[in-house]
Amino acid sequence: MITLKSRREIDEMKRAGEILVATHKEIKKLIKPGITSWDIEVFTDEFLRKQGATPEQKGFEGYEFATCASINDEICHGFPRKKILNEGDIITVDMVVNYHGALADSAWTYGVGQVSPEARRLMEVTRKSMYLGIEQAQVGNRIGDIGHAIQTYVEAEKLAVVREFIGHGIGPTLHEKPEVPHFGAAGKGPRLKEGMVITIEPMVNIGGWKAKMDDNGWTARTADGSLSAQYEHTIAITKDGPEILTYQGEND
């Protein structure tokens, strides 16, 4: 079942998004060689609680952390840990904020110090692909229009879109219908309606698109060991076009 949100509910989710954005902006300041993803985890948990919010994914289906912290070849759901981040690493920090029952979800990939041109290009293409998908999040379009726009651009850039992990509806619970693949055919899938709130979160690899799972049952990484990046926004479908509830500002 796809739930449609009222303007009031969307505004509440936008407030959760503002807290999430503030967290990401603080995380960006922390990222440098020598810190650990565990440092990011501790900061995030404490920062959210100071804002009167809670980390929604902590405890979700047994997940133990406030953040997912995926490093280099890890695609998603990386566990925060005390391993030092080195110059040239990339790290994706993904989190879901719950503010008085309203949810917002966003992931961002950060470079640690100076990253390679290859890694920088991966990040730029992934981020742009997300926005190309968001442009298609219009009333009357279909879910497939989003994935088609992302896949067409990414593959033209000779990179690969992950298939196993996709976007989703959100609110009042974390993962809802509809599923939002980042690949596929235009004109296919559920029609987008005013009041739907979804995530668009392409994961893009330098090598092939296939993933493999770590023994922890959560962390996915590229099957070929290549770098992976992810960017994610929470989007409300409105009559005036897509509204980004986790927008970070003009430098987003």
Side-chain angles (χ1 to χ4, degrees):
M1 178 179 175
I2 297 174
T3 62
L4 302 180
K5 280 72 175 177
S6 67
R7 183 68 250 181
R8 177 186 61 79
E9 289 170 316
I10 291 171
D11 286 342
E12 290 172 348
M13 296 179 78
K14 189 172 184 178
R15 175 57 185 141
E18 290 169 353
I19 295 171
L20 195 160
V21 166
T23 312
H24 267 302
K25 288 183 174 180
E26 292 301 318
I27 288 171
K28 184 177 181 180
K29 297 175 187 177
L30 294 176
I31 302 287
K32 61 183 178 181
I35 74 158
T36 70
S37 55
W38 187 252
D39 295 328
I40 297 168
E41 165 73 12
V42 171
F43 167 81
T44 298
D45 203 355
E46 293 178 351
F47 184 83
L48 291 181
R49 295 182 191 284
K50 287 177 183 177
Q51 313 307 311
T54 55
E56 179 69 10
Q57 62 206 49
K58 194 171 188 177
F60 177 75
E61 295 184 352
Y63 191 77
E64 298 179 3
F65 309 103
T67 62
C68 296
S70 305
I71 302 167
N72 293 334
D73 67 325
E74 294 173 344
I75 296 170
C76 59
H77 306 153
F79 286 5
R81 51 203 183 273
K82 296 181 180 180
K83 180 181 178 182
I84 295 293
L85 294 175
N86 296 310
E87 184 90 16
D89 286 340
I90 62 173
I91 178 171
T92 299
V93 182
D94 186 7
M95 74 187 81
V96 184
V97 170
N98 182 324
Y99 185 67
H100 300 300
L103 303 183
D105 187 358
S106 181
W108 219 252
T109 299
Y110 301 95
V112 181
Q114 295 296 316
V115 302
S116 68
E118 184 180 47
R120 181 60 58 188
R121 179 172 174 271
L122 170 68
M123 293 164 65
E124 290 171 352
V125 169
T126 308
R127 178 178 168 276
K128 182 176 179 180
S129 77
M130 174 185 65
Y131 284 108
L132 290 173
I134 290 171
E135 287 176 6
Q136 296 299 316
Q138 307 280 349
V139 172
N141 279 2
R142 292 187 180 274
I143 288 292
D145 297 324
I146 296 171
H148 181 73
I150 291 169
Q151 181 182 14
T152 300
Y153 169 67
V154 168
E155 292 183 353
E157 295 294 325
K158 309 300 183 186
L159 299 173
V161 178
V162 172
R163 307 290 203 274
E164 293 96 330
F165 301 94
I166 59 179
H168 50 87
I170 183 170
T173 57
L174 179 51
H175 285 169
E176 299 200 344
K177 298 293 185 182
E179 296 181 337
V180 186
H182 307 110
F183 57 93
K188 302 293 185 180
R191 194 173 295 280
L192 297 170
K193 298 179 180 180
E194 183 178 0
M196 291 171 64
V197 180
I198 61 174
T199 70
I200 297 177
E201 48 181 299
M203 288 150 265
V204 175
N205 303 339
I206 286 180
W209 59 263
K210 292 185 177 179
K212 62 182 180 181
M213 296 299 298
D214 282 1
D215 291 341
N216 62 30
W218 281 96
T219 305
R221 64 179 70 238
T222 58
D224 57 14
S226 63
L227 293 178
S228 185
Q230 179 191 13
Y231 290 83
E232 174 187 16
H233 274 315
T234 298
I235 313 298
I237 310 300
T238 80
K239 66 180 187 304
D240 299 317
E243 181 178 354
I244 303 174
L245 305 184
T246 48
Y247 185 57
Q248 295 188 24
E250 64 182 25
N251 296 318
D252 188 338

